[in-house]
Amino acid sequence: MSWWKIRWPVARPIALALGLVPILLLLGLWFALTHGAAEERVLSPVILPSPAEVVSSFPSLWWERALSRSVITSFLRVLVGFAVGAAVALPLGIFMASFESIRASFAPLATAFGYLPIPTLVPLTLSLFGTGELQKVMFLAIAFVVYLLPLVVKAIDDVDSVYLRTAFTLGATTGQAVRRVLVAIAWPDIFQALRNGFGVGWGYILLAEMVAAESGLGNIIITSQRRGPREHIYLVLVVITLVAFLTDRLWAFVGSRLFPYREAK
Amino acid sequence: MSQTPVPVVEFRGVEKTFAAGTARAFTALAGLTFAIEDLPGRGEFVAVLGPSGCGKSTMLNLIAGFEGIAPPTAGEVLVRGVPVSGPGRDRGMIFQRYSSFPHLTVLDNVTFGLELNGRELGHSAAERRELARHWLARVGLTPHEQKYPHQLSGGQQQRVAIARSLVLKPRIILMDEPFSALDEPTRLEMQELILELWREVEATVFLVTHSIAEAVYLGDRIWIFTHAPGRIGRELRDGIPSFTGRPPLEAQATREFQSAVESVTGVFQQVNGGAVPS
């Protein structure tokens, strides 16, 4: 048996089969705990609905709760907050990493913000910006800046100084060195940070919507928890995972197109 | 034509101390003085040998004018009679570490310098590509022009660096142990290539190396640096034969090559008390 040989490769079909085992076990456990008539179950439907009950509640989620509209609402909030946050974090990070004076000016503040627990921004932005769309966008924008700024700075710090020196011996100006060497070489890492950040933002928006929102996926979850049906919570979780996964695949696809020289590595 | 020609590179009593005034202060160069004349239509090839940490690279970096190293702590560094105030495309540099821009193809790496100076040079995109292709052909990379650096071997990456530097026609070429990371056969190929090319570009070349054979094969003159603080312990000009047009292995087999290596080794040990170059 080669199972316990360190870093020994596993054939693809076996790897897929192994990956299925925990999923099937979890589903099996769910079936077992929620099998039979309501009063005979190990766990009552109020605590945990059965898989069949969850699936059959989909039409009501789609029609009565307007699932598609909530998906779009939440997605747009992430998108706008992301755009605002990136519009701040990208230029600031690039300037901080390129010029020590700018770094010295902003580093202490950035470090302090780095220790900020993101959930505390929810009540803070609520009191500053009210309960409307502005609050959602600002909450996300701040969270994105806190997340992205150190990653953008690090991506540029990681560019080897040999490239800068080479560019200077080729006659580069300061502006050219920043744009065409530092940012150009760090760009795949910055893109990776944006991609990861987008995924994280998807979690943040649910947090904001569960506290105060008229619409959105977070709102469906919190309403379902208070008034039922509980089945919708599970469905929404599946939808969130699915949207996050598909969005991430889109990022990966764009990345492979933008950085062909990274893929081969 | 009546005046004495201005040296290409001149050092006047140059001292470089890093972290001056602290406990970590380190004097890499002290009292370094020399002048390299511009040999018309030829240029000169200076090979620099010296013990580890003797300030050879610091000398190159001072000529290049890199921030953080230039200006010197004391003395003057002049290029064509003008104090060096920063890096410029008149001084090309080839580093030991591979420095091909990872996000650009081989061809784009070579046109990059032309693009950076696009306004002054005034080439069209087609002219830039043509110039780049000329130099890629000279270094033997034509079949690889659409590849990215990570797809190249170490020797090929250094060829990119050479083509990228030469396309800008620098009058001074600085090479900081450019072949140290390469395996022996590749290193010999690169030495032959350099010897071929530099006669053509007629630039003044400073090559820092730890190989006595490389210094003898490539250099017109050889400088042997002392331990830090470094200065030129000895300069060797006579008895360094020229091997232009002869491949390294063939040159190395000759009596004159072997006796040159022996005498350089002897002088090196005199200057540095038995140490080997590194």
Side-chain angles (χ1 to χ4, degrees), chain B residues 107 110 126 128-138 142 145-146:
Chain B
L107 182 65
V110 181
R128 286 199 284 265
R129 271 198 301 278
E130 196 181 323
L131 277 168
R133 288 200 167 112
H134 164 77
W135 282 105
L136 284 174
R138 296 293 290 115
T142 302
E145 66 168 47
Q146 290 309 326

Side-chain angles (χ1 to χ4, degrees), chain A residues 160-173 176-177 180-181 184-185 260-262 264-265, chain B residues 61 66 69 87-89 91 93 95 97-103 112-113 115-117 148 150 164 168:
Chain A
D160 196 317
S161 62
V162 80
Y163 298 119
L164 265 189
R165 289 187 166 186
T166 299
F168 284 131
T169 62
L170 297 175
T173 61
Q176 285 172 328
R180 306 201 50 178
V181 179
I185 294 179
Y261 52 96
R262 275 291 175 104
K265 263 186 195 169
Chain B
N61 290 332
F66 290 133
I69 298 164
R89 71 179 148 92
R91 284 152 289 147
M93 188 141 178
F95 300 88
R97 272 183 297 161
Y98 305 140
S99 60
S100 304
F101 297 109
H103 62 301
F112 189 67
E115 272 173 54
L116 292 178
N117 302 281
Y148 285 101
H150 75 267
R164 184 177 58 191
L168 287 171

Side-chain angles (χ1 to χ4, degrees), chain B residues 31-54:
Chain B
L32 184 59
T33 299
F34 66 83
I36 299 291
E37 306 296 332
D38 193 4
L39 299 183
R42 191 158 162 261
E44 187 143 17
F45 203 117
V46 183
V48 184
L49 289 165
S52 192
C54 71

Side-chain angles (χ1 to χ4, degrees), chain A residues 152-197:
Chain A
V152 174
V153 171
K154 182 171 187 313
I156 292 179
D157 282 346
D158 283 347
V159 176
D160 196 317
S161 62
V162 80
Y163 298 119
L164 265 189
R165 289 187 166 186
T166 299
F168 284 131
T169 62
L170 297 175
T173 61
T174 303
Q176 285 172 328
V178 171
R179 272 181 291 118
R180 306 201 50 178
V181 179
L182 291 182
V183 175
I185 294 179
W187 189 225
D189 288 339
I190 296 176
F191 185 87
Q192 187 62 36
L194 293 174
R195 174 181 166 186
N196 293 344

Side-chain angles (χ1 to χ4, degrees), chain A residues 6-7 79 176 178 180 199 202 212 216 261 263:
Chain A
I6 292 170
R7 296 189 176 170
L79 208 61
Q176 285 172 328
V178 171
R180 306 201 50 178
W202 197 229
Y261 52 96
E263 232 194 344

Side-chain angles (χ1 to χ4, degrees), chain B residues 10 29 42 56 58 60 64 88 124 131 139 154 164 167 176 180 187 190 206 209 227-228 233:
Chain B
E10 187 177 3
L29 294 171
R42 191 158 162 261
K56 312 176 290 250
T58 305
L60 291 193
S124 69
L131 277 168
V139 301
R164 184 177 58 191
V167 76
D176 193 356
S180 302
R187 184 156 55 226
M190 298 300 289
F206 288 86
T209 176
H227 278 290

